[in-house]
């Protein structure tokens, strides 16, 4: 069975940056083969992984809805074939981009085909990392609702931390289950970690949510993102700070 790690967080928290760092960490630890899934409709994980050209799962969905399945194939066979076609293969990891939300129309039968095909695809990888929208609606619709780790990425302020707990409640309402739920504080000032930890203790009431760690904000990271440098080219000292945080996933 694959270990599935999902990341969620409101816009602006740096969730996708953390996701790219986690993927780089798993590759360097030889936790491979790895499947990276961009399940955020505002997808841009590909940029941080150095991938420019790709097709999305949404395009497959629309092809099926438009009855573009060849006569000699079943819808099931067509979906399976197309998912393998759009899978982007790279050294150490593969990438699947789910794409934009549904348009008007009935997608229930298509969701059944997609969820079955994706379930089989996930089983081919010992590690699956998923970059999600805050409520994980994409995965919920496709019935991909069993996670080993859910990492909620937050700002280092009371509003952001309160939002993190609300996100977990939203995820629960969608019947998404997670064995372990983590809170990662991104863009934290290194000299204020004790104060931020007190904020977490004060504002997070659900005992299931555990603090994973703090990732500092640096001008170097802002420069990397402004210039679209892939995560594999970032400064190793900065990445090692994130790696120490990710080590906690396996030590609890």
């Amino acid at each position: 069975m694959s270990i599935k790690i999902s990341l969620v967080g409101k816009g602006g928290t740096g969730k996708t940056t953390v996701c790219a760092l986690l993927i780089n960490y798993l590759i360097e630890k030889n936790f491979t083969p790895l499947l990276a899934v961009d399940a955020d409709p505002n997808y841009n994980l590909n940029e941080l992984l150095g991938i420019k050209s790709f097709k999305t799962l949404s395009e497959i969905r629309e092809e099926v809805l438009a009855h573009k399945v060849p006569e000699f194939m079943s819808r099931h066979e067509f979906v399976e074939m197309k998912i393998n076609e759009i899978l982007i293969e790279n050294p150490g990891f593969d990438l699947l981009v789910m794409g934009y939300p549904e348009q008007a129309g009935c997608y229930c039968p298509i969701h059944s085909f997609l969820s079955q095909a994706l379930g089989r695809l996930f089983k081919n990888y010992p590690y699956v990392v998923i970059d999600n929208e805050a409520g994980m609606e994409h995965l919920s619709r496709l019935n991909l609702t069993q996670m080993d780790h859910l990492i909620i990425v937050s700002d280092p302020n009371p509003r952001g931390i309160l939002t993190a707990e609300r996100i977990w409640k939203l995820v629960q309402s969608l019947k998404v289950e997670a064995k372990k739920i983590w809170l990662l504080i991104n863009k934290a000032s290194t000299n204020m970690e004790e104060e931020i930890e007190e904020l977490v203790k004060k504002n997070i009431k659900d005992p299931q949510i555990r603090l994973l760690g703090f990732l500092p904000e640096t001008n170097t990271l802002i420069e990397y993102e402004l210039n679209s440098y892939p995560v594999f080219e970032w400064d190793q000292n900065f990445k090692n700070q994130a790696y120490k945080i990710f080590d906690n996933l396996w030590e609890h």
Side-chain angles (χ1 to χ4, degrees):
M1 295 294 289
S2 54
I3 295 175
K4 293 184 283 295
I5 307 173
S6 280
L7 292 93
V8 293
K10 68 182 181 68
T13 58
K15 166 183 61 67
T16 301
T17 298
V18 174
C19 187
L21 285 164
L22 176 59
I23 290 166
N24 199 172
Y25 162 85
L26 292 170
I27 292 170
E28 290 195 16
K29 292 284 186 179
N30 292 317
F31 293 166
T32 57
L34 159 71
L35 176 63
V37 180
D38 194 338
D40 191 330
N42 184 28
Y43 47 87
N44 55 17
L45 178 61
N46 61 289
E47 296 175 7
L48 294 178
L49 298 177
I51 297 168
K52 303 299 182 184
S53 178
F54 56 90
K55 289 188 175 181
T56 70
L57 201 66
S58 301
E59 294 174 66
I60 296 175
R61 188 185 62 213
E62 297 305 321
E63 285 185 43
V64 176
L65 193 66
H67 305 291
K68 292 184 178 180
V69 180
E71 291 183 3
F72 59 87
M73 298 182 75
S74 68
R75 284 188 171 189
H76 166 78
E77 291 170 329
F78 178 77
V79 168
E80 196 102 29
M81 178 190 73
K82 282 293 186 177
I83 287 178
N84 285 312
E85 283 182 3
I86 68 169
L87 195 63
I88 305 159
E89 298 179 349
N90 298 272
F93 76 97
D94 295 341
L95 173 66
L96 179 69
V97 181
M98 297 187 78
Y100 47 85
E102 292 93 339
Q103 307 300 313
C106 178
Y107 290 88
C108 294
I110 302 170
H111 285 165
S112 177
F113 297 131
L114 289 174
S115 63
Q116 290 178 43
L118 288 174
R120 283 189 290 274
L121 178 67
F122 283 13
K123 290 178 182 177
N124 294 332
Y125 298 85
Y127 298 91
V128 178
V129 177
I130 308 169
D131 185 15
N132 291 281
E133 57 196 322
M136 299 176 70
E137 282 89 350
H138 252 334
L139 297 190
S140 177
R141 291 191 196 102
L142 294 174
N143 201 32
L144 301 171
T145 55
Q146 302 287 330
M147 300 293 143
D148 293 278
H149 297 277
L150 177 68
I151 302 175
I152 306 169
V153 182
S154 172
D155 303 309
N157 60 65
R159 291 186 307 279
I161 293 167
L162 281 170
T163 300
E165 187 160 34
R166 293 189 192 114
I167 287 173
W168 169 229
K169 289 179 181 177
L170 174 59
V171 169
Q172 288 176 298
S173 73
L174 294 171
K175 309 301 182 186
V176 175
E177 298 178 7
K179 293 179 182 176
K180 294 181 180 179
I181 303 96
W182 305 96
L183 175 63
L184 188 151
I185 306 296
N186 193 27
K187 305 178 182 180
S189 298
T190 53
N191 60 346
M192 293 189 66
E193 289 187 359
E194 289 185 9
E195 290 88 341
I196 298 170
E197 191 165 353
E198 284 302 314
L199 274 176
V200 171
K201 290 177 180 177
K202 181 179 178 181
N203 290 288
I204 297 294
K205 306 301 182 184
D206 191 327
Q208 294 182 85
I209 303 174
R210 292 183 284 179
L211 183 62
L212 185 61
F214 303 91
L215 190 60
E217 183 173 34
T218 68
N219 290 331
T220 304
L221 180 57
I222 295 170
E223 180 186 347
Y224 291 154
E225 294 188 329
L226 286 174
N227 290 283
S228 300
Y229 293 144
V231 66
F232 310 109
E233 298 177 9
W234 294 1
D235 177 69
Q236 192 64 42
N237 289 328
F238 171 74
K239 291 196 287 189
N240 286 341
Q241 295 179 69
Y243 292 178
K244 288 179 182 177
I245 295 172
F246 299 142
D247 282 339
N248 293 326
L249 293 170
W250 323 115
E251 295 174 358
H252 290 74

